[in-house]
Amino acid sequence: MRLLLVLIIFLLLVKFEYMDREINSLIVDRDNILLINKSNTENLKLLADQNKQNNDLFLQREQRKEKQQGELIVTTESLRKLLYKKEQFNHHWPDDIIEWLQLPY
């Protein structure tokens, strides 16, 4: 009877030791997972900030592109008007008018 009691106590101690090691192992695993989670959270925040900066840069580029397009349209139109004015005076004159203009007074 005492042997059985000693055996049961020994088994309980072994089981207790095993459970203690298992708990310690789980605590270490939990701590590692928490560190990984913290690192991933920081990376996610960093990526979110970079995404916001990239979006801001993209919007600035789009606004600058729209402004440049507007300026290009204005510049193109003004150049077309100047060209039209110059072309009015530089068009081909018929030969008989050129001869008439070259006649002496």
Side-chain angles (χ1 to χ4, degrees):
M1 187 72 162
R2 286 182 183 196
L3 186 62
L4 184 61
L5 186 60
V6 169
L7 185 61
I8 291 174
I9 291 173
F10 177 75
L11 287 174
L12 288 175
L13 286 175
V14 169
K15 180 137 179 112
F16 177 74
E17 183 67 28
Y18 172 76
M19 293 301 286
D20 192 40
R21 287 184 185 179
E22 185 71 25
I23 288 173
N24 287 337
S25 173
L26 290 173
I27 288 172
V28 169
D29 290 344
R30 182 204 62 194
D31 291 343
N32 289 337
I33 290 171
L34 288 175
L35 287 174
I36 292 170
N37 188 28
K38 183 178 179 182
S39 173
N40 288 340
T41 302
E42 290 172 1
N43 286 339
L44 184 62
K45 288 179 183 177
L46 179 65
L47 289 174
D49 290 342
Q50 288 177 348
N51 188 30
K52 185 178 183 298
Q53 290 174 353
N54 288 340
N55 284 340
D56 291 343
L57 289 173
F58 178 74
L59 290 175
Q60 289 174 2
R61 187 181 338 159
E62 287 297 315
Q63 290 171 350
R64 189 171 52 238
K65 183 179 175 184
E66 288 177 13
K67 181 182 175 186
Q68 288 173 346
Q69 283 292 97
E71 291 172 356
L72 180 65
I73 290 171
V74 169
T75 304
T76 305
E77 287 300 317
S78 64
L79 288 174
R80 281 186 182 155
K81 287 178 184 176
L82 283 172
L83 184 63
Y84 177 73
K85 287 180 182 178
K86 286 190 177 253
E87 286 295 320
Q88 282 180 334
F89 298 106
N90 291 329
H91 65 283
H92 179 71
W93 295 88
D95 287 340
D96 56 342
I97 293 178
I98 292 175
E99 289 173 6
W100 179 75
L101 289 171
Q102 291 175 345
L103 291 176
Y105 289 108

